[in-house]
Amino acid sequence: MPGDGRLAGKVAFVTGAARGQGRSHAVRLAAEGADIIAVDLCAQVPTADYPLAGEDDLAETARLVREQGREAVTAVADVRDLPALSAAVDDGVARLGRLDVIVANAGIASYAPGAELTELQWDEMIAINLSGVWRTIRAGIGHVRRGGEGGSVVITSSAAGLRGIPNNAHYAAAKHGVVGLMKVLALELGPENIRVNTIHPTTVNTPMVRNDSTMELFLPGRENPSEEDFARIARRLNVLPVPWVEPDAVSDLVVFLAADEGRNLTGTSIPVDAGMAARW
């Protein structure tokens, strides 16, 4: 039964939900009254040289959603696999009754100079971080449209979706690409009162960032760097005196865009970047 909160009676579909930003978004949406369809790959990707989430992580997300008094339907599915995504969403809607919000959040990171990227690095990045966003929306948007009450699509881009950042040409290409996708979908879906926006975080305190690969990028050749070493370098990216933002700061914006407060926002790219956009 619907409870209290800005999203009472709504259902949200979140990809990359097993941990990090995706888990934070799922739990915050639930805290505002939404039931959750939580999807994650729960497996390793060859070009992501840091540990990805597993099925235990996805189960923990579900537990945290239920702790908020909301329902959670989980599925292990790859955003590169449209039939699997569609089956996951169809099952979730069958069990929860509707779909109102899509949070296309799943993504990976890897690093190399653009001229030295392998084909596999390029292809996996584009398949997950760009094509996977389209597949996520494609799998869910029919349910939102059939509800007839409008809805919200929130796409996780990045500060790298607004500017160039060295050593991640493939990531920046994907994150810029979702901005173009967002703008077209905003035009196409707006007449049905379905809003589409991208969000653009700076460095976020999640396992995708807090790992040896990112540490090597920020502090090349440094043996046994400390967290403060990393924080000192990361802080230089931002205008506000912080090295990164916490996932819940990004979730604040996701909830805003999903809820009635964001009813007049569509086709926008919104930074959550501690001022990085002002500097660059």
Side-chain angles (χ1 to χ4, degrees):
M1 296 293 293
D4 296 328
R6 290 182 282 171
L7 294 168
K10 306 294 187 182
V11 175
F13 166 39
V14 183
T15 60
R19 70 178 190 195
Q21 290 189 58
R23 173 186 286 175
S24 178
H25 302 339
V27 174
R28 278 294 309 283
L29 290 163
E32 291 292 343
D35 293 325
I36 305 296
I37 303 168
V39 171
D40 204 286
L41 174 61
C42 296
Q44 200 61 32
V45 173
T47 60
D49 53 0
Y50 58 95
L52 298 183
E55 293 189 42
D56 288 348
D57 297 303
L58 185 58
E60 175 63 8
T61 296
R63 186 191 70 79
L64 291 169
V65 166
R66 292 172 184 135
E67 198 173 70
Q68 305 302 317
R70 306 314 311 156
E71 295 295 325
V73 176
T74 63
V76 175
D78 190 335
V79 294
R80 294 169 290 185
D81 184 343
L82 181 56
L85 275 180
S86 297
V89 180
D90 291 350
D91 176 61
V93 172
R95 294 167 64 179
L96 300 175
R98 58 187 294 147
L99 184 63
D100 306 275
V101 178
I102 298 172
V103 183
N105 171 77
I108 61 167
S110 63
Y111 308 103
E116 299 173 17
L117 288 165
T118 66
E119 284 190 276
L120 184 59
Q121 284 176 310
W122 179 271
D123 289 344
E124 284 194 337
M125 182 66 68
I126 298 302
I128 294 170
N129 287 26
L130 176 54
S131 300
V133 168
W134 172 78
R135 289 188 178 91
T136 296
I137 297 166
R138 179 68 178 80
I141 199 64
H143 292 292
V144 180
R145 298 175 97 166
R146 281 189 289 275
E149 298 179 10
S152 177
V153 178
V154 182
I155 299 170
T156 303
S157 181
S158 166
L162 298 174
R163 57 195 54 81
I165 299 176
N167 295 300
N168 66 1
H170 54 336
Y171 185 84
K175 294 302 190 179
H176 276 75
V178 298
V179 174
L181 174 64
M182 171 273 291
K183 290 180 178 181
V184 173
L185 291 176
L187 294 171
E188 293 175 347
L189 298 172
E192 298 173 71
N193 200 32
I194 298 171
R195 298 170 284 109
V196 189
N197 297 282
T198 52
I199 59 176
H200 297 261
T202 183
T203 307
V204 183
N205 187 18
T206 69
M208 194 176 91
V209 168
R210 303 297 296 277
N211 58 68
D212 292 342
S213 178
T214 308
M215 194 78 78
E216 176 62 24
L217 177 70
F218 277 64
L219 297 160
R222 181 78 64 86
E223 291 188 15
N224 302 315
S226 68
E227 178 170 309
E228 181 50 40
D229 291 333
F230 180 36
R232 185 171 59 255
I233 301 301
R235 196 175 290 117
R236 296 176 185 174
L237 296 173
N238 303 322
V239 173
L240 297 177
V242 297
W244 42 71
V245 299
E246 296 300 324
D248 60 0
V250 187
S251 299
D252 288 341
L253 180 56
V254 172
V255 168
F256 177 86
L257 290 171
D260 193 52
E261 290 92 333
R263 64 190 177 278
N264 294 314
L265 289 176
T266 197
T268 64
S269 297
I270 307 176
V272 191
D273 69 350
M276 184 191 291
R279 185 186 301 282
W280 291 7

